Amino acid sequence: MADGYRIIGAEMSPYSVKLRSYFRYKAIPHQWVLRNAASQAEYEKHAKMPIIPLVVTPEGKGIQDSTPIIDAMEKLYPEPSIHPGDAIANFISALLEEFGDEWGNKWMFHYRWARDVDQISAAGRIARMRGPTADEDKHIAFAGQVRARMVERVWFVGSSELTAPQIEAGFVSMLELLDAHLATRPYLFGGRPALADFGLWGQIYETWTDPTAGAIIGGGAPHVLDWVHRMLWPRAEGAFETWSALAPTLMPILTRQVGAQFMPWSCANAKALAEGKEEFSVTLADKVWTQKPQKYHARSLGMLRAKYAEVADKAALDPVLEAAGCLAGLRG
Ligand SMILES: N[C@@H](CCC(=O)N[C@@H](CS)C(=O)NCC(=O)O)C(=O)O
């Protein structure tokens, strides 16, 4: 039996690197295991869903889905906590984690598979991970298959000719807002990483490894770029800040990104699933967004709503959520 946890994942997977950074920050003994032929038998033995990351516990139990994994590990390893003491900040952190996982994934997936240069780069790296010793011909053939399969799947996150300009404008706008917020603090909620850092960072880190989005970050968002590096090995450098200290630059992110885009999209997606629709349209900040509904997201929205329902005293939180346009969606 292995001593520590085993994270079977990939450098190219936002949820895998998110979890790896979390384990590193918490100093939880673990091994990073690449998802390829060498780990195939172990993966098949423990995975219940065909996704990564897969965590195998020291007791030999397989667990999946990064958010519930982190929630479970926080109970086993409470210190240093990734939950800000300020009750408003703490819930906003959970909200931004969900936003990162689900909305940030649209930036990531879209930029990675929209243009030739990014497709070639990403498919090559994925193929090399899966077949590290393959000869050049085999590698090129496999990279071609990966590229074809992934490009064909961009619709899954809602990327299309219609939505591409919205996704790209949203990403650029987020970088501006995030850069202003991170100009005066190392992490989203102050001197140490919070749950939100892990979710949002996993996606933004991945975009940074790709040619097109990486150049956008490198070219105009120096504080985001520092955070991209910092979050690979996060450390507690200071305390969490209070909500009032964070609000001046965090509120615009909540309002313009989460409240104006992500929450209405989430609710429309959940409604379309409940009604058994094949496709849905929703107007996000004056622009029509159309896509097929995403099943997983309705489940994670349910988990976020449960977290909201568990907040004991909502008197100070609700006005913030209301002002940001997030309250109605959380009440469900
Ligand atoms: N909600 C899950 C998402 C995991 C996920 O979507 N993983 C992707 C890679 S980043 C995957 O394994 N997709 C299956 C595939 O690519 O075949 C989590 O947080 O762990």
Side-chain angles (χ1 to χ4, degrees):
M1 192 73 32
D3 287 343
Y5 290 82
R6 292 169 64 76
I7 305 174
I8 303 182
E11 187 64 30
M12 303 291 290
S13 150
Y15 305 98
S16 299
V17 296
K18 166 192 177 186
L19 208 60
R20 183 181 64 186
S21 271
Y22 171 78
F23 273 70
R24 284 174 173 173
Y25 175 59
K26 303 288 288 199
I28 301 169
H30 68 278
Q31 263 185 45
W32 173 249
V33 180
L34 291 184
R35 166 86 174 96
N36 59 24
S39 62
Q40 181 69 19
E42 186 180 11
Y43 181 82
E44 278 177 8
K45 183 170 168 208
H46 296 288
K48 292 189 189 70
M49 303 176 277
I51 54 168
I52 48 174
L54 164 70
V55 168
V56 183
T57 70
E59 297 74 36
K61 191 173 156 244
I63 41 177
Q64 285 173 293
D65 212 342
S66 60
T67 307
I69 293 172
I70 290 178
D71 289 345
M73 296 306 294
E74 274 299 286
K75 295 203 174 86
L76 295 174
Y77 293 86
E79 296 299 332
S81 173
I82 59 163
H83 299 308
D86 179 309
I88 301 177
N90 190 30
F91 183 77
I92 300 299
S93 170
L95 175 58
L96 282 175
E97 186 225 17
E98 170 70 1
F99 166 76
D101 277 359
E102 302 300 319
W103 194 259
N105 189 245
K106 299 191 189 312
W107 305 323
M108 198 298 287
F109 215 80
H110 165 77
Y111 273 107
R112 178 163 288 174
W113 302 109
R115 295 174 176 82
D116 287 345
V117 63
D118 300 288
Q119 293 169 9
I120 292 164
S121 160
R125 283 176 286 155
I126 291 170
R128 262 297 166 229
M129 177 195 74
R130 298 296 296 240
T133 56
D135 66 35
E136 204 53 20
D137 287 347
K138 281 215 178 84
H139 168 69
I140 289 168
F142 187 50
Q145 286 170 22
V146 170
R147 181 179 176 185
R149 191 177 72 222
M150 298 310 281
V151 169
E152 217 248 316
R153 284 167 60 174
V154 291
W155 61 265
F156 178 77
V157 298
S159 165
S160 65
E161 265 178 49
L162 173 80
T163 59
Q166 298 173 58
I167 297 174
E168 299 197 356
F171 177 70
V172 169
S173 149
M174 179 63 176
L175 286 182
E176 251 174 63
L177 297 171
L178 201 52
D179 207 61
H181 184 65
L182 290 171
T184 53
R185 52 182 63 83
Y187 299 99
L188 294 176
F189 287 83
R192 55 184 60 206
L195 178 60
D197 287 273
F198 295 98
L200 196 59
W201 174 81
Q203 306 294 335
I204 294 187
Y205 169 74
E206 291 296 333
T207 65
W208 171 73
T209 72
D210 295 333
T212 301
I216 299 173
I217 296 173
H223 304 295
V224 176
L225 183 60
D226 285 349
W227 174 74
V228 162
H229 294 308
R230 193 176 297 127
M231 277 296 295
L232 269 170
W233 291 94
R235 291 181 299 125
E237 298 175 30
F240 285 124
E241 294 174 39
T242 60
W243 174 249
S244 57
L246 298 161
T249 46
L250 207 46
M251 207 52 194
I253 293 178
L254 279 183
T255 307
R256 286 183 227 165
Q257 295 278 329
V258 187
Q261 314 238 354
F262 174 62
M263 288 311 296
W265 174 86
S266 293
C267 295
N269 182 69
K271 189 162 168 276
L273 279 171
E275 292 169 358
K277 289 217 177 109
E278 280 289 305
E279 197 172 83
F280 70 97
S281 289
V282 56
T283 304
L284 306 175
D286 296 338
K287 300 222 166 51
V288 177
W289 177 290
T290 300
Q291 76 164 99
K292 291 188 206 304
Q294 284 179 246
K295 256 208 191 102
Y296 176 80
H297 180 69
R299 215 179 102 207
S300 61
L301 177 65
M303 293 192 267
L304 182 69
R305 283 176 173 164
K307 278 188 188 174
Y308 170 73
E310 276 166 24
V311 176
D313 181 357
K314 300 185 175 70
L317 175 63
D318 279 357
V320 173
L321 293 173
E322 172 75 6
C326 300
L327 186 60
L330 289 166
R331 284 183 170 156

